[in-house]
Amino acid sequence: SRSTSAYSVLRSSGFLLPHPTTLCRQYSKVMRSVGICPVLMDMLKIRALTLQDPEKSITFALDGMTLTQALEYNKNSDEVSGFVNCGKYDQSPTVANQGILLMVRGLTLKWKQIIGFFISKHNLNTSVLGQIISDAVSELKKIGFYVDGIVMDQESSQWKWVGSMGVLPDTPWVVHSQVKSFIIPDPPHLIKNLRNNFMDKDIAFTIDGVNMTAKWFYVEMLYSIDSGYPIQAVPRWTEEHFTLPR
């Protein structure tokens, strides 16, 4: 990502680029409401026409996030936003505190694109989540993409849905609209889970028949010793690596 100042430098250097206000105005016309955005799906459909079959393989990701509870009046649409709103799937006058973002990412080409969002109270209902995933996979198939994987974060409702679909270690996939999609845990969350557990629990392992134990204390000791030298063995470590929220 780049700051707005970089964009301003490009405009002042002679590049014929639209004013930031124009970009914001146009963007507001794209994702005007919750749900799978038809404008973005039309753009992806055009992109699919330019791709070869192997380049149409994608992953579909769901990313949950905590939202600040608040209500806001939009004078342009004459609507109050901030309530639970999952479009045709679920709506409620309850103030929302959770959002879920839908995104697709290329497997053989480096690109990604948001395709929609929903807001709810806490985690999405499992049945609603299942309908959203099923519809998203079907729509992506219609415009020419192959959803080879569905990336999940650590939200309990997502894994409850995975369990309800009969996903097992020997059969780590679901089938929607005759499309087999492998369930993929989000790697950054897996690393975070490993770190959190390592901070509280020791890791026992064996090397060449010798039983050994790894402790978080050893990691802290290494940082304490290493940070005192001008030339460090692990130079990229900082205090923030040991004070990150869980």
Side-chain angles (χ1 to χ4, degrees):
S1 61
R2 297 291 183 270
S3 67
T4 54
S5 59
Y7 187 78
S8 298
V9 170
L10 290 175
R11 294 186 75 242
S12 62
S13 299
F15 287 89
L16 299 178
L17 299 172
H19 191 276
T21 303
T22 303
L23 293 176
C24 291
R25 188 184 305 116
Q26 291 300 317
Y27 179 75
S28 67
K29 296 178 182 179
V30 175
M31 298 190 70
R32 299 179 66 105
S33 60
V34 300
I36 299 173
C37 178
V39 176
L40 293 177
M41 294 300 285
D42 287 341
M43 293 169 61
L44 284 177
K45 183 177 181 179
I46 295 172
R47 180 179 179 84
L49 295 174
T50 67
L51 302 177
Q52 301 296 321
D53 264 11
E55 297 172 335
K56 295 178 182 179
S57 292
I58 61 172
T59 58
F60 168 65
L62 302 100
D63 187 17
M65 60 194 72
T66 301
L67 303 177
T68 301
Q69 290 184 280
L71 298 177
E72 180 177 309
Y73 174 69
N74 187 324
K75 64 180 181 180
N76 295 321
S77 61
D78 192 28
E79 294 178 344
V80 175
S81 60
F83 294 110
V84 170
N85 189 352
C86 294
K88 64 180 182 180
Y89 307 101
D90 183 34
Q91 295 192 44
S92 166
T94 306
V95 180
N97 65 358
Q98 192 81 8
I100 184 167
L101 195 66
L102 311 183
M103 179 183 295
V104 295
R105 181 189 295 266
L107 277 176
T108 59
L109 294 178
K110 189 176 180 180
W111 65 275
K112 58 185 176 181
Q113 175 62 58
I114 294 170
I115 62 171
F117 71 98
F118 299 91
I119 53 176
S120 65
K121 182 70 172 180
H122 305 306
N123 293 337
L124 279 175
N125 178 278
T126 304
S127 62
V128 171
L129 180 64
Q131 295 176 50
I132 292 172
I133 294 173
S134 180
D135 288 351
V137 172
S138 297
E139 290 298 317
L140 290 166
K141 179 185 176 182
K142 286 180 183 177
I143 62 175
F145 287 100
Y146 310 124
V147 184
D148 291 328
I150 299 176
V151 181
M152 301 287 191
D153 63 18
Q154 299 299 297
E155 287 197 354
S156 58
S157 61
Q158 295 184 22
W159 290 102
K160 186 176 180 181
W161 172 81
V162 169
S164 71
M165 297 298 292
V167 176
L168 298 170
D170 293 335
T171 55
W173 60 75
V174 295
V175 178
H176 282 297
S177 302
Q178 300 180 325
V179 175
K180 179 190 287 187
S181 304
F182 286 83
I183 300 300
I184 306 170
D186 184 26
H189 282 92
L190 292 180
I191 295 172
K192 182 179 178 181
N193 286 346
L194 175 62
R195 184 207 65 180
N196 289 345
N197 280 280
F198 189 27
M199 292 174 72
D200 299 326
K201 304 175 182 68
D202 297 340
I203 298 178
F205 59 98
T206 302
I207 297 181
D208 296 331
V210 180
N211 295 327
M212 308 185 76
T213 302
K215 299 175 181 288
W216 184 254
F217 170 73
Y218 298 152
V219 179
E220 294 178 318
M221 183 185 299
L222 172 61
Y223 174 73
S224 177
I225 297 172
D226 194 48
S227 60
Y229 290 94
I231 299 177
Q232 300 168 354
V234 192
R236 294 184 180 275
W237 281 10
T238 67
E239 285 286 348
E240 292 182 357
H241 289 98
F242 297 88
T243 58
L244 288 171
R246 299 194 179 195

